[in-house]
């Protein structure tokens, strides 16, 4: 993971945990519901998965309107 990050030109440290953050952010951006993300990442508590929700800029309640697509 470290070598891949360096090859990609990333200046921040890249660890295996980074992959989970990236995956969760991608799922949120694609409109995946938080419970699906929770199951996908193996989180026992949904509050852990909710940590990723602040990254994605959504409207009220995290919804995307049809005109926003």
């Amino acid at each position: 993971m470290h070598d891949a990050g360096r090859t990609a030109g990333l200046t921040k440290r890249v660890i295996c945990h980074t992959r989970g953050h990236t995956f969760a952010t991608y799922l949120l951006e694609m409109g995946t519901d938080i419970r699906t993300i929770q199951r996908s990442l193996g989180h026992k508590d949904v509050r852990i998965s909710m940590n990723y929700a602040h990254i994605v800029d959504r409207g009220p309640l995290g919804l995307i309107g049809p005109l926003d697509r």
Side-chain angles (χ1 to χ4, degrees):
M1 289 297 292
H2 177 73
D3 291 340
R6 195 171 11 183
T7 301
L10 300 176
T11 56
K12 289 193 173 191
R13 195 175 115 196
V14 178
I15 57 175
C16 290
H17 194 75
T18 307
R19 185 183 53 192
H21 285 279
T22 304
F23 182 58
T25 302
Y26 170 77
L27 290 175
L28 283 168
E29 288 174 344
M30 295 298 109
T32 306
D33 66 282
I34 197 70
R35 292 290 181 180
T36 301
I37 294 170
Q38 176 190 5
R39 286 190 301 272
S40 297
L41 296 178
H43 295 154
K44 295 183 190 298
D45 190 338
V46 75
R47 289 178 292 180
I48 296 168
S49 305
M50 289 297 291
N51 288 330
Y52 304 107
H54 75 279
I55 297 169
V56 180
D57 185 22
R58 299 285 169 101
L61 305 176
L63 301 174
I64 299 174
L67 299 177
D68 296 326
R69 292 191 183 265

